[in-house]
Amino acid sequence: MARRLGVWLIGAKGGVATTVIVGILALKKGLTAQQGLVSQLAAFAHLDLVGWDDFVFGGHDIRECSLVHEAKKLHTDSRVIDEHVLSQCLAELAEIDANIRPGILLNVGKTIEGLADPALRNSKETQMAAILRAQQDIKSFAKQNDLEQVVVVNVASTEPILDAQSWPETWDELKTLLDGSGQIRIPSSSLYAIAALDAGLPYINFTPSLGSAPAAIGDLARQRKTCHMGHDGKTGETLLKSALAPMFAHRNLEIMSWVGHNIFGNMDGKVLDDPENKRTKVKSKDRLLREILGYEPQTHISIEYIESLGDWKTAWDHIHFRGFLGTPMVMQFTWQGCDSLLAAPLVIDLIRFAERAHRQGEVGLLTFLASFFKSPLGIQENNFERQFQLLQAWADGIE
Amino acid sequence: MARRLGVWLIGAKGGVATTVIVGILALKKGLTAQQGLVSQLAAFAHLDLVGWDDFVFGGHDIRECSLVHEAKKLHTDSRVIDEHVLSQCLAELAEIDANIRPGILLNVGKTIEGLADPALRNSKETQMAAILRAQQDIKSFAKQNDLEQVVVVNVASTEPILDAQSWPETWDELKTLLDGSGQIRIPSSSLYAIAALDAGLPYINFTPSLGSAPAAIGDLARQRKTCHMGHDGKTGETLLKSALAPMFAHRNLEIMSWVGHNIFGNMDGKVLDDPENKRTKVKSKDRLLREILGYEPQTHISIEYIESLGDWKTAWDHIHFRGFLGTPMVMQFTWQGCDSLLAAPLVIDLIRFAERAHRQGEVGLLTFLASFFKSPLGIQENNFERQFQLLQAWADGIE
Amino acid sequence: MARRLGVWLIGAKGGVATTVIVGILALKKGLTAQQGLVSQLAAFAHLDLVGWDDFVFGGHDIRECSLVHEAKKLHTDSRVIDEHVLSQCLAELAEIDANIRPGILLNVGKTIEGLADPALRNSKETQMAAILRAQQDIKSFAKQNDLEQVVVVNVASTEPILDAQSWPETWDELKTLLDGSGQIRIPSSSLYAIAALDAGLPYINFTPSLGSAPAAIGDLARQRKTCHMGHDGKTGETLLKSALAPMFAHRNLEIMSWVGHNIFGNMDGKVLDDPENKRTKVKSKDRLLREILGYEPQTHISIEYIESLGDWKTAWDHIHFRGFLGTPMVMQFTWQGCDSLLAAPLVIDLIRFAERAHRQGEVGLLTFLASFFKSPLGIQENNFERQFQLLQAWADGIE
Amino acid sequence: MARRLGVWLIGAKGGVATTVIVGILALKKGLTAQQGLVSQLAAFAHLDLVGWDDFVFGGHDIRECSLVHEAKKLHTDSRVIDEHVLSQCLAELAEIDANIRPGILLNVGKTIEGLADPALRNSKETQMAAILRAQQDIKSFAKQNDLEQVVVVNVASTEPILDAQSWPETWDELKTLLDGSGQIRIPSSSLYAIAALDAGLPYINFTPSLGSAPAAIGDLARQRKTCHMGHDGKTGETLLKSALAPMFAHRNLEIMSWVGHNIFGNMDGKVLDDPENKRTKVKSKDRLLREILGYEPQTHISIEYIESLGDWKTAWDHIHFRGFLGTPMVMQFTWQGCDSLLAAPLVIDLIRFAERAHRQGEVGLLTFLASFFKSPLGIQENNFERQFQLLQAWADGIE
């Protein structure tokens, strides 16, 4: 079945988005194998997922740089993308650049503002105007490219925590507050989510930012009969936690403390160097132990920006646990993974699964995608294997 | 419900057996909490498992030493057992010593022979005589202690590989060969298995030795309407593999090589320093990756005897995998666990679960115990979480 | 040659002091070998250093607890001291307790104040009064115990940074400011230093606190013809840095970043959990790379209080360096050492060497002791081997 | 001062040699900085060492492949050499290829024979004929390239151990045995050494093979008034040992065991996979601990060929030591270095220093080069810092 799927990337010039785009180009051209792509596992072969040739990219970004420049930086700074792959993708990257529109710069915190195109920084756009502009951008993209469907994915930098607990729970109530006299401050990630869902498009939040998490935005998704999921892609250290912690739980080994120290040097790391933004991330990483174990060991998570590492995220975890007769033992691991290369295939998987679910008529949170997220919305399951079983069961249910 | 359960330990003076006995004594006396005991998880609370007061210990051993001496060595050499726990268990240990009978020393390889009581080394016992003697020992133990049930567990040192492929598949055929003119050489672990199963007793093989694995011995179990399971307790590095490898598989991350280097200094380590015996172990550790991944990465497992480490088994694993766009990444872990303390609670769990299954009338291989073994008999599942789900499902099925 | 050496410990009930005392008692009684004692190396055998039997302990502490209680805690919380050693030292520990006097609680920061005996917290003692009281305590101790010599050692918790740059450079000037109307705030570590040096006694600062570092206090030492040295005992991660960094320098391997993450759970860790106090420590740990390498790589040092670790300090260091043709490579290490047991023998060594130097008539900073300190006073050498050569050369110069 | 220096590489198409050549080309062209080059440290700036433009390469190799092919493999298999560097060196590499002559294939063991050009395998060359042929090759090279000097360096694969203890101690005696009826079997590395030294050329043995170690070959060097040094370049794990072990020694920390596990996947690894060849290497790596510590801890060194790692040598070391009061502690490190890139700059350094020493008229073993070797000939010093001081002292002695 032929179809053309638009992928609208929020943070379209960032490391993850760039790697997603280069990755799809490389897959189209047969320059790479399929490592890292969950959706290419045999278990999902019958799903008739969107093929590499069907992807059409556009997006929003707040920075001025070019996709080509970003892709080259991934090669030179971090040795992430092979020169021979890169050189064969430059022409298409330049074309896709033309599909990237200026992003929304509301309530994103000072560090992200500091990265933005100065023109955006001085804009006085209201929240509602930003939503409408974003929607218009996506609609033009769909029309110009003759797309049957568009999926919107947030892969932008992490925003500072913004407490949405006091927000109203229905879309109708929230809507009336949107452009009231600043009664409510909505972060850009949520404005994009509103723009996408209001237009009936699936929305995926791959970041720890607020996105579509508030109840009122979920209500909007249901009203528009579309689907969404988030948040915070589970790419490295937390993935390992969700695979290892159940083992300790099932063996009744008492975890006394679990310390995780993360170092890396990409743009994401720079933004997380701001304590405001870091807090959002750490909170997302720290939840699952308590939920898997049923008790709360001492935990400490640090994330430090070490420039020389570029995109190579290195984590050291120290797990101090008590075995039989109360004896303390230790497990340590180090993880040396390339952040963008771990994230990008998951983003592609999420796009393909979300498109499939939407095609199937699914509405609301796609909880069967829990295995992809550090803090899956709408579901308590944090055990990785059981999360994966949910995905399998969903796939098994589709003929 | 009051009952008295005999536990007959093969290798009763070894590190694991000694820790099992001291552990049960400490639990009886309230000297320790319940870390490491799977059977104490909430999921199994309704099973009415055997309580700490119901355990009565006896066993076979080929060495001359005393249990008290072994227990003290665990304290002084490896700081495994606390002095304040140990000092309160010495009297009972000495009593239990009286229940330990000379073991079987047939087809165990030179290294194990070298450890044995010289009296045993010169014995000319036939295989059938050894079986009958072992049975008689267990019967006397049951009678003297007024036991309702006995479970036999092999926690002796690893024997060299002995190929059982040419053996007949039924018990009736095997039996006729037992004392023929040496046509078939049966290792001690299997002679004990035959002794136990023929007497209708559950048999658990916690070691990589042959034990009850041959089809003909399984046939005997079914004929005598009893149950058994093995083999090779999954305590450390392999446990981690069975929790981590599925994560790599589900994320489609291609494992290029997985290297595991194990160092430790207890008696088990000394025996495994003999290449013949080590081969049995390495074979058992190396299987599961292929089965979980569906392909065969390069693997290397080494096990080295480093005296200073005593019972502290340290493993370093280096996992070299390929992510998106073919980029190589690395995960490493180190595991610093105390071998006896990791094994002992699992032995206690297996005894309790096997007794429960036998009480329930289950016959043959207890495949729901797969999560406890490196090479579970009669079942292909090596994914730890899915193995644990089998245990849970079994427990859920018992009212 | 028989002599009796008084050792006056500041922080006499802390983990390091307690281990020093138990250690000397165990050495006296022949309960332990001599691992960790630099002064017992063959190279120093001719120095006629003070023997184990000659040590007599006293000291100051701001806490109410007892030495016996502290020693037991080291055993139970961290398995640091063997029960069989401990039980044979309890009587002497109780006796030494009587020699411990209430400490000075001026300008030590809120966290340390929070640990103190409430009686001390409410004291209105002036700085000069505190000095005189401390001197009086030491004199009484010397008299009561008929001591030929006393060495004063600071092993108390780390104070917040206190900038001494604006202080006058001579003792005469500083003295006049001591009890002026609060013109100058002197931390307790320096008040003790003044008390000791003014009495002509050698003073060693094993902590990162200010101690005898200010020029005016050094001037006092020279006036009183006594010696001193500091600061911050080099026990673990920094020791490794001073052994490894020269290797990278000599091989012209460019260190791009060096990240050190330290976790531990003793009292020292608790005090360092206060960012004010931690700053003093991190500053001391972070200097030497620049001095050894001649350039400034990105560094990050974190110190986190993880209660379950007790006295077991675990450090993970990640060294990212560039080799030939600019290729990035990585060295990582983990260090699992027992903080008190690493520090205590060095304290004993410093006491012995300082006593010997004083006996020899040396005056001022004992720079030949550089190898013992993270931030050796009065000398730029940070290469561990070259520091050790200074010690050897000093010893070689004494007949 | 302008001069042209011939560098004759034994194993000229191997990974190390290829990296040496590409490295010098990259330095000539200004494509790379000078990381990894000891001889570029400020301490040696006054020595007037040979410059990058002065290097002219030739050599022997037993394999048929081309240098260009080997260089490309380093890029594609191991990501060792950047594509942009490589592409600018291809023309010169092809030219240098023409200077590489067929090597000697006598007494090198089966594994190396298996790698050789079949034509060489069938040769019936005598030992003396091989020496003369090698000399002739070098002389032609010198003449054709108008060279003032040639330095010969062995960077070929490790040969099996060959015991030279029964050889005569003088060159005159050895010479008479060379072509006798097979009374003495001399490995190729030593035949090359004889060829070089007999021609008055400096010879460096960067491998653990025998080379110029035998007394009789040293005698030849002295007779011909030339210099030589070896053996086994100290590039990674052993380098770390020689920097770390002195730290443990100076702190009187008793090393109970030191385990080193090395994995890598280059040609060197393949050859070392043969137990005969591996033994030579392990012996060389294992000596220095005893010499630095003054006692013999338990050690275990393993070297395993893991294909996926290519040139990336990864070592895990586990150091189990005893501190104060006998308490066991642990240091572990992992080293992820690129074998060829660590070795190549040292080879360049050795060439430059050996040429300088020869220019200075030095004769015999160049023991001041000890810091470059795992098993430095003619000197017992294994402490890395003290070895480096020897180099500095030598340089300081030259005006």
Side-chain angles (χ1 to χ4, degrees), chain B residues 135-319:
Chain B
Q135 275 183 339
Q136 191 52 52
D137 287 340
I138 300 173
K139 280 181 194 164
S140 306
F141 165 66
K143 192 168 173 194
Q144 278 165 28
N145 290 281
D146 188 25
L147 304 172
E148 296 169 44
Q149 181 58 265
V150 177
V151 174
V152 177
V153 190
N154 180 16
V155 286
S157 293
T158 302
E159 299 164 347
I161 287 184
L162 208 152
D163 188 8
Q165 302 227 315
S166 60
W167 295 12
E169 300 218 342
T170 67
W171 168 241
D172 294 341
E173 290 170 282
L174 181 64
K175 194 178 177 183
T176 63
L177 296 173
L178 264 179
D179 274 345
S181 46
Q183 286 160 308
I184 203 163
R185 293 176 58 238
I186 299 187
S188 294
S189 62
S190 297
L191 297 174
Y192 288 120
I194 292 169
L197 296 170
D198 184 50
L201 306 178
Y203 168 87
I204 297 292
N205 183 10
F206 200 74
T207 80
S209 300
L210 194 61
S212 66
I217 303 182
D219 182 36
L220 170 63
R222 280 188 304 275
Q223 285 191 29
R224 296 297 181 271
K225 300 216 180 314
T226 190
C227 56
H228 63 123
M229 191 58 189
H231 57 187
D232 205 2
K234 185 155 75 175
T235 55
E237 192 199 30
T238 310
L239 174 63
L240 290 166
K241 274 185 185 159
S242 72
L244 283 171
M247 185 272 285
F248 286 99
H250 295 339
R251 281 288 160 95
N252 209 357
L253 297 166
E254 180 199 348
I255 294 179
M256 297 184 288
S257 60
W258 191 312
V259 171
H261 194 62
N262 297 271
I263 52 178
F264 61 121
N266 59 16
M267 176 66 68
D268 191 23
K270 215 176 227 161
V271 170
L272 290 176
D273 220 30
D274 179 328
E276 287 300 308
N277 305 51
K278 192 191 290 192
R279 195 150 31 228
T280 314
K281 185 81 173 191
V282 167
K283 199 180 153 201
S284 175
K285 285 173 86 81
D286 204 15
R287 268 184 43 261
L288 92 176
L289 278 186
R290 188 180 57 240
E291 293 178 6
I292 291 175
L293 300 173
Y295 57 90
E296 215 161 331
Q298 188 183 358
T299 59
H300 192 275
I301 293 175
S302 39
I303 305 176
E304 304 298 341
Y305 177 69
I306 302 297
E307 196 179 357
S308 68
L309 288 168
D311 206 45
W312 284 92
K313 192 183 266 184
T314 298
W316 172 67
D317 275 48
H318 180 280
I319 307 158

Side-chain angles (χ1 to χ4, degrees), chain B residues 1 14 25 33 59 62-63 92 99 101 107 149-150 332 377:
Chain B
M1 164 191 162
L25 294 173
I62 57 154
R63 292 188 300 151
E92 283 96 333
N99 292 339
R101 316 295 310 152
N107 308 314
Q149 181 58 265
V150 177
Q332 299 173 65
L377 296 174

